[in-house]
Amino acid sequence: MEAIRRRQVMDAVIHILSTQDWRDLTIREVSDVAGISSGVVTHYFSNKRALTLDAINDAILQYVKALGKIEHRRGAIVDRLIALIDFVSQPSPPGIPDWRFWLGLLGRMPFDRVLQAEVQKVHRLYAEIVARLIEAGIEGREFRPDRTPQDIALKFVSAAVGMYALMVADPQDMPPERCRRLLLDLLGQDLGLTLAEMPAAPARLISKPA
């Protein structure tokens, strides 16, 4: 029951932080959204700050876990990279908070050193997963980049975050399909490949002429 209650609270906090101004987060609001008493909320969390930080840590764990499942699935490295792009180019990837939550976190980051550390952590973990996949592709002679996997991963993650902001701010100009296509193009250029937009996964890889 304790695990269920904490999950209800975390989900409520993430929902509020994703849909309202962060200043609107209150114990009462969390209890209303979660459908439990405020006494239960304060039993697990002493104050608003503790609520916020626990929710952020929980969201990061969900995010990294989801990306980790893609990293470790069976199949060709290129298909795993494409699957990762398919996952992150959605406005609301399944199983994790949508991009409004992450953009809200980015907006608060300059004013809070603890939040800044959390953002750095999630970006670092995201880039490490991409870099490991690229390294595996180089070892398997699937990729022939002219820069390090770490640099490619950092560039990719930075560009992806910018596109997520556009998906939220201007969804007509940056629909998920366009975000996906641009991320495929960006990563493919750095890997020396064309990640073609084909519906069948085995046909997605087209090598560039030497």
Side-chain angles (χ1 to χ4, degrees), residues 7 9 22-23 34-35 41 45 60 67-68 83 86 91 94 96 102-103 109 117 150 155 161 189 200-201 210:
R7 181 73 267 156
V9 172
W22 283 40
R23 291 171 295 183
V41 177
F45 305 95
I60 290 173
L67 295 184
D86 288 343
I96 66 170
W102 302 105
L103 294 177
M109 176 189 66
Q150 291 73 27
K155 176 183 174 182
V161 170
Q189 289 171 9

Tab-separated table of all heavy atoms in Angstrom, residues 7 9 22-23 34-35 41 45 60 67-68 83 86 91 94 96 102-103 109 117 150 155 161 189 200-201 210:
chain	number	residue	atom	x	y	z
A	7	ARG	N	3.323	6.154	-5.357
A	7	ARG	CA	3.169	6.252	-6.804
A	7	ARG	C	2.072	7.239	-7.160
A	7	ARG	O	2.202	8.024	-8.108
A	7	ARG	CB	2.839	4.859	-7.357
A	7	ARG	CG	2.660	4.752	-8.852
A	7	ARG	CD	3.981	4.861	-9.594
A	7	ARG	NE	4.277	6.215	-10.008
A	7	ARG	CZ	5.494	6.672	-10.251
A	7	ARG	NH1	6.545	5.896	-10.090
A	7	ARG	NH2	5.687	7.902	-10.634
A	9	VAL	N	1.150	9.797	-5.421
A	9	VAL	CA	1.654	11.138	-5.136
A	9	VAL	C	2.611	11.586	-6.240
A	9	VAL	O	2.521	12.708	-6.749
A	9	VAL	CB	2.343	11.191	-3.761
A	9	VAL	CG1	3.037	12.539	-3.560
A	9	VAL	CG2	1.333	10.946	-2.644
A	22	TRP	N	4.936	25.938	-11.949
A	22	TRP	CA	5.501	25.208	-10.818
A	22	TRP	C	5.130	25.841	-9.477
A	22	TRP	O	5.084	25.175	-8.457
A	22	TRP	CB	7.018	25.121	-10.963
A	22	TRP	CG	7.443	24.079	-11.962
A	22	TRP	CD1	6.862	23.804	-13.167
A	22	TRP	CD2	8.529	23.175	-11.836
A	22	TRP	NE1	7.521	22.796	-13.803
A	22	TRP	CE2	8.560	22.386	-13.017
A	22	TRP	CE3	9.507	22.964	-10.868
A	22	TRP	CZ2	9.501	21.399	-13.231
A	22	TRP	CZ3	10.456	21.975	-11.087
A	22	TRP	CH2	10.452	21.200	-12.257
A	23	ARG	N	4.843	27.134	-9.497
A	23	ARG	CA	4.454	27.802	-8.257
A	23	ARG	C	3.071	27.374	-7.788
A	23	ARG	O	2.689	27.614	-6.641
A	23	ARG	CB	4.486	29.325	-8.437
A	23	ARG	CG	5.895	29.891	-8.591
A	23	ARG	CD	5.867	31.358	-8.979
A	23	ARG	NE	5.281	31.549	-10.311
A	23	ARG	CZ	5.192	32.718	-10.924
A	23	ARG	NH1	5.643	33.805	-10.333
A	23	ARG	NH2	4.649	32.810	-12.131
A	34	ALA	N	-4.243	13.491	-6.682
A	34	ALA	CA	-3.968	12.088	-6.362
A	34	ALA	C	-5.194	11.368	-5.818
A	34	ALA	O	-5.251	10.129	-5.836
A	34	ALA	CB	-2.824	11.990	-5.357
A	35	GLY	N	-6.157	12.142	-5.310
A	35	GLY	CA	-7.348	11.526	-4.738
A	35	GLY	C	-7.116	10.921	-3.376
A	35	GLY	O	-7.767	9.944	-2.990
A	41	VAL	N	-0.173	12.673	2.078
A	41	VAL	CA	0.925	13.292	1.335
A	41	VAL	C	2.030	13.734	2.284
A	41	VAL	O	3.208	13.450	2.069
A	41	VAL	CB	0.415	14.490	0.504
A	41	VAL	CG1	1.581	15.179	-0.210
A	41	VAL	CG2	-0.636	14.055	-0.503
A	45	PHE	N	6.074	13.054	2.536
A	45	PHE	CA	6.899	14.168	2.107
A	45	PHE	C	6.687	15.339	3.057
A	45	PHE	O	5.556	15.770	3.274
A	45	PHE	CB	6.544	14.574	0.680
A	45	PHE	CG	6.628	13.439	-0.298
A	45	PHE	CD1	5.492	12.700	-0.621
A	45	PHE	CD2	7.831	13.090	-0.876
A	45	PHE	CE1	5.560	11.647	-1.506
A	45	PHE	CE2	7.917	12.040	-1.758
A	45	PHE	CZ	6.779	11.306	-2.079
A	60	ILE	N	13.274	11.037	-13.818
A	60	ILE	CA	14.561	10.699	-14.430
A	60	ILE	C	14.757	9.193	-14.478
A	60	ILE	O	15.206	8.630	-15.487
A	60	ILE	CB	15.711	11.390	-13.674
A	60	ILE	CG1	15.671	12.896	-13.926
A	60	ILE	CG2	17.065	10.818	-14.095
A	60	ILE	CD1	16.652	13.682	-13.086
A	67	LEU	N	14.874	4.399	-21.908
A	67	LEU	CA	15.944	4.429	-22.911
A	67	LEU	C	16.835	3.194	-22.785
A	67	LEU	O	17.323	2.665	-23.785
A	67	LEU	CB	16.782	5.695	-22.747
A	67	LEU	CG	16.073	7.029	-23.007
A	67	LEU	CD1	17.070	8.181	-22.905
A	67	LEU	CD2	15.395	7.046	-24.364
A	68	GLY	N	17.055	2.737	-21.541
A	68	GLY	CA	17.876	1.549	-21.322
A	68	GLY	C	17.263	0.306	-21.946
A	68	GLY	O	17.987	-0.563	-22.462
A	83	ALA	N	14.882	3.165	-33.146
A	83	ALA	CA	13.833	2.976	-32.139
A	83	ALA	C	13.919	4.052	-31.062
A	83	ALA	O	12.897	4.546	-30.571
A	83	ALA	CB	13.951	1.587	-31.512
A	86	ASP	N	12.471	7.118	-32.580
A	86	ASP	CA	11.011	6.968	-32.635
A	86	ASP	C	10.393	7.265	-31.273
A	86	ASP	O	9.325	7.872	-31.176
A	86	ASP	CB	10.639	5.544	-33.058
A	86	ASP	CG	10.925	5.272	-34.531
A	86	ASP	OD1	11.094	6.240	-35.290
A	86	ASP	OD2	10.977	4.083	-34.913
A	91	PRO	N	5.595	13.681	-28.539
A	91	PRO	CA	5.348	14.695	-27.503
A	91	PRO	C	5.164	14.081	-26.113
A	91	PRO	O	5.554	14.664	-25.111
A	91	PRO	CB	4.069	15.387	-27.982
A	91	PRO	CG	3.990	15.093	-29.434
A	91	PRO	CD	4.605	13.747	-29.620
A	94	PRO	N	5.491	7.033	-24.182
A	94	PRO	CA	4.795	6.185	-23.208
A	94	PRO	C	5.662	5.863	-21.995
A	94	PRO	O	6.841	5.542	-22.124
A	94	PRO	CB	4.467	4.914	-24.008
A	94	PRO	CG	5.413	4.925	-25.169
A	94	PRO	CD	5.658	6.358	-25.482
A	96	ILE	N	6.719	7.837	-19.545
A	96	ILE	CA	7.494	8.908	-18.924
A	96	ILE	C	6.728	10.225	-19.030
A	96	ILE	O	5.821	10.341	-19.862
A	96	ILE	CB	8.893	9.068	-19.568
A	96	ILE	CG1	8.769	9.546	-21.021
A	96	ILE	CG2	9.699	7.781	-19.502
A	96	ILE	CD1	10.094	9.958	-21.623
A	102	TRP	N	9.692	18.305	-18.845
A	102	TRP	CA	11.139	18.493	-18.965
A	102	TRP	C	11.480	19.935	-19.314
A	102	TRP	O	12.485	20.471	-18.830
A	102	TRP	CB	11.695	17.532	-20.021
A	102	TRP	CG	11.402	16.099	-19.705
A	102	TRP	CD1	10.465	15.296	-20.294
A	102	TRP	CD2	12.006	15.313	-18.675
A	102	TRP	NE1	10.461	14.059	-19.704
A	102	TRP	CE2	11.394	14.033	-18.710
A	102	TRP	CE3	13.014	15.550	-17.733
A	102	TRP	CZ2	11.758	13.010	-17.845
A	102	TRP	CZ3	13.374	14.530	-16.869
A	102	TRP	CH2	12.751	13.274	-16.924
A	103	LEU	N	10.657	20.562	-20.134
A	103	LEU	CA	10.911	21.968	-20.474
A	103	LEU	C	10.677	22.869	-19.268
A	103	LEU	O	11.372	23.869	-19.073
A	103	LEU	CB	10.032	22.393	-21.647
A	103	LEU	CG	10.352	21.700	-22.984
A	103	LEU	CD1	9.366	22.134	-24.055
A	103	LEU	CD2	11.780	21.983	-23.419
A	109	MET	N	15.815	25.603	-14.064
A	109	MET	CA	17.190	25.217	-13.783
A	109	MET	C	18.135	26.379	-13.487
A	109	MET	O	18.940	26.296	-12.551
A	109	MET	CB	17.732	24.394	-14.960
A	109	MET	CG	19.190	24.003	-14.848
A	109	MET	SD	19.800	23.269	-16.379
A	109	MET	CE	19.712	24.668	-17.508
A	117	ALA	N	21.717	20.382	-11.289
A	117	ALA	CA	22.424	19.102	-11.191
A	117	ALA	C	21.569	17.960	-11.745
A	117	ALA	O	22.081	17.036	-12.391
A	117	ALA	CB	22.803	18.823	-9.740
A	150	GLN	N	31.236	10.273	-28.259
A	150	GLN	CA	30.789	11.206	-27.220
A	150	GLN	C	30.368	12.547	-27.816
A	150	GLN	O	29.352	13.123	-27.413
A	150	GLN	CB	31.889	11.399	-26.179
A	150	GLN	CG	32.163	10.182	-25.308
A	150	GLN	CD	32.886	9.058	-26.061
A	150	GLN	OE1	33.616	9.301	-27.035
A	150	GLN	NE2	32.708	7.840	-25.608
A	155	LYS	N	26.025	16.235	-29.403
A	155	LYS	CA	25.374	17.046	-30.443
A	155	LYS	C	23.935	16.590	-30.662
A	155	LYS	O	23.010	17.401	-30.754
A	155	LYS	CB	26.176	16.931	-31.744
A	155	LYS	CG	25.553	17.653	-32.928
A	155	LYS	CD	26.387	17.419	-34.193
A	155	LYS	CE	25.710	18.013	-35.416
A	155	LYS	NZ	26.513	17.747	-36.651
A	161	VAL	N	16.840	18.160	-27.676
A	161	VAL	CA	16.183	18.982	-26.655
A	161	VAL	C	15.601	20.247	-27.288
A	161	VAL	O	14.475	20.671	-26.969
A	161	VAL	CB	17.157	19.332	-25.524
A	161	VAL	CG1	16.552	20.375	-24.582
A	161	VAL	CG2	17.528	18.076	-24.739
A	189	GLN	N	24.006	11.713	-40.680
A	189	GLN	CA	25.138	12.465	-41.222
A	189	GLN	C	26.397	12.241	-40.405
A	189	GLN	O	27.490	12.063	-40.956
A	189	GLN	CB	24.799	13.953	-41.266
A	189	GLN	CG	23.768	14.323	-42.324
A	189	GLN	CD	23.299	15.759	-42.200
A	189	GLN	OE1	23.858	16.543	-41.422
A	189	GLN	NE2	22.258	16.114	-42.935
A	200	ALA	N	9.619	-0.476	-42.940
A	200	ALA	CA	10.189	-1.748	-42.499
A	200	ALA	C	11.572	-1.501	-41.924
A	200	ALA	O	12.451	-0.981	-42.603
A	200	ALA	CB	10.271	-2.723	-43.674
A	201	ALA	N	11.790	-1.899	-40.670
A	201	ALA	CA	13.049	-1.612	-39.986
A	201	ALA	C	14.277	-2.134	-40.732
A	201	ALA	O	15.268	-1.433	-40.858
A	201	ALA	CB	13.014	-2.178	-38.569
A	210	ALA	N	31.270	5.395	-50.778
A	210	ALA	CA	32.581	5.701	-50.201
A	210	ALA	C	33.193	6.866	-50.944
A	210	ALA	O	32.968	7.048	-52.129
A	210	ALA	CB	33.476	4.475	-50.283
